[in-house]
Amino acid sequence: MTELHVHLDGSLRPESVREMAEEQHILLEADPLHPETLAGMLTVPADCRDLNQYLACFDLPLQVLQTPEYVSRAVKELIQDMAAEGVMQAEIRFAPQLHGAKGYGQKEITEGAVRGLREGTALCPGFRGGLILCCMRGSDNQKANEETLQTASAFLGGGVCAVDLAGAEALYPTSGYEALFALARKAGLPFTIHAGEADGAKSVWDALRFGAERIGHGVRSVDDPALCRYLADHRIPLEVCYTSNLQTKAMGAEPHPIRKLFDMGIHVTVNTDNRTVSHTTMTEERRLLQKDFGFTEKELAVMEEYAREGCFI
Ligand SMILES: [Zn+2]
């Protein structure tokens, strides 16, 4: 299996978070080491209310991942977890600018991740992986985003394979990041953009106009027939994360459009988004797609082919 869209901080082993927190004297809560409490902090409940409740599950993971060593360990373990279920090709993403609370620069954090990638790959023969560095939507981080692009350039082909834009799409529309992605293009960095998840089809159009080669989620594209035709004609992969979309209520009261998008010939791919936060795996996502939409093994194989074609690595 091939996975294009998985966030490092949302995919940590709970037992590792506990260890990392203990080692760094991070107090979890009143009963900090109780495993059930910890699971509740890292994984959304079955009746997850909205995106805010979803995002709260990243607080603790980010708190423990503030050194190159811990980032390295997390990448290594994630690769082991993926390989264990047969995901032998994957692109792992994280935002180096969110790991600087202890003073480490984006370059040092990325070095840690590259080391983890190398170690994890060495432990899992046949595994191929790359890192996607996320720029963040926000109001006062233009410099940090530009530093992310510089960092990605420095490691491109040496562990890093692309950049991304993540964060609150509805609050900070994609249209505001034209200059940033002009820089990415100038630097020769391939990129995907989270778009059409919390915001509409226009967000996807903007991402495509900037030169995005893939779209993170993109499920809202279904509202715009012209956009759907464009995505299909240009073989733009959508990194669809079904469970995550249900939990964050990305489609509101509307049914999830994955079947419709696939039947229109759009290159839909299967992804977890966040293994721990969403409490899922690639195996589980494929099972749910079979159960909820009647996707056949043959159709899942087509999606796997789309993912292979869409790889940046
Ligand atoms: Zn994502």
Side-chain angles (χ1 to χ4, degrees):
M1 286 182 282
T2 301
E3 180 158 29
L4 304 179
H5 192 128
V6 57
H7 292 262
L8 178 66
D9 49 356
S11 304
L12 304 184
R13 293 178 183 169
E15 65 270 25
S16 296
V17 174
R18 185 161 60 242
E19 269 177 46
M20 292 176 187
E22 271 185 305
E23 286 168 15
Q24 298 177 94
H25 309 291
I26 294 168
L27 221 53
L28 297 185
E29 255 184 1
D31 181 12
L33 303 183
H34 192 268
E36 277 165 21
T37 307
L38 185 66
M41 292 172 82
L42 300 176
T43 301
V44 291
D47 59 345
C48 178
R49 284 189 310 275
D50 54 18
L51 187 61
N52 288 333
Q53 191 176 14
Y54 194 85
L55 292 178
C57 292
F58 293 87
D59 291 348
L60 180 58
L62 276 171
Q63 227 188 322
V64 299
L65 288 184
Q66 294 296 329
T67 71
E69 287 69 33
Y70 286 122
V71 169
S72 174
R73 171 178 169 179
V75 172
K76 185 177 83 178
E77 290 179 351
L78 175 54
I79 290 171
Q80 290 178 292
D81 293 347
M82 290 193 293
E85 65 150 340
V87 176
M88 297 311 284
Q89 190 156 241
E91 295 173 357
I92 299 167
R93 62 185 77 193
F94 68 103
Q97 65 186 269
L98 299 181
H99 301 263
K102 288 192 171 171
Y104 289 102
Q106 296 196 38
K107 185 168 170 281
E108 292 161 291
I109 292 295
T110 304
E111 269 167 2
V114 169
R115 201 163 58 243
L117 177 71
R118 223 180 291 129
E119 290 175 7
T121 305
L123 289 169
C124 304
F127 179 87
R128 279 180 79 224
L131 302 168
I132 297 177
L133 303 192
C134 302
C135 296
M136 294 303 298
R137 296 174 190 269
S139 51
D140 54 356
N141 62 337
Q142 194 189 333
K143 266 203 137 57
N145 282 340
E146 288 173 10
E147 199 186 327
T148 302
L149 298 187
Q150 287 154 11
T151 308
S153 293
F155 289 92
L156 189 67
V160 171
C161 59
V163 292
D164 173 32
L165 179 64
E169 185 190 2
L171 282 178
Y172 303 99
T174 302
S175 56
Y177 296 86
E178 184 160 11
L180 184 71
F181 285 99
L183 284 177
R185 273 204 318 275
K186 214 170 142 196
L189 289 164
F191 53 90
T192 176
I193 292 181
H194 279 76
E197 179 192 18
D199 203 358
K202 182 180 177 298
S203 182
V204 178
W205 277 122
D206 284 334
L208 295 170
R209 191 164 52 83
F210 299 168
E213 294 176 40
R214 301 192 324 226
I215 299 294
H217 299 288
V219 285
R220 284 266 159 211
S221 304
V222 73
D223 302 331
D224 182 339
L227 175 57
C228 289
R229 267 196 307 278
Y230 184 95
L231 291 168
D233 288 350
H234 292 80
R235 308 161 74 91
I236 307 282
L238 295 189
E239 305 156 2
V240 176
C241 311
Y242 175 52
T243 298
S244 165
N245 289 163
L246 294 185
Q247 292 164 337
T248 63
K249 310 281 188 281
M251 293 309 297
E254 291 170 45
H256 196 279
I258 186 165
R259 167 52 84 181
K260 205 169 162 192
L261 295 167
F262 180 83
D263 287 350
M264 282 190 279
I266 295 171
H267 284 211
V268 167
T269 64
V270 184
N271 304 274
T272 62
D273 207 10
N274 297 286
R275 288 168 173 255
T276 309
V277 174
S278 284
H279 190 57
T280 191
T281 60
M282 281 289 278
T283 310
E284 174 66 3
E285 291 300 306
R286 289 163 62 101
R287 188 187 72 78
L288 287 171
L289 294 182
Q290 285 179 301
K291 180 172 82 71
D292 294 356
F293 301 95
F295 281 110
T296 62
E297 284 294 341
K298 209 171 155 196
E299 287 173 322
L300 289 172
V302 171
M303 290 193 223
E304 167 65 16
E305 197 47 44
Y306 290 157
R308 285 167 184 264
E309 273 178 31
C311 272
F312 289 127
I313 47 175

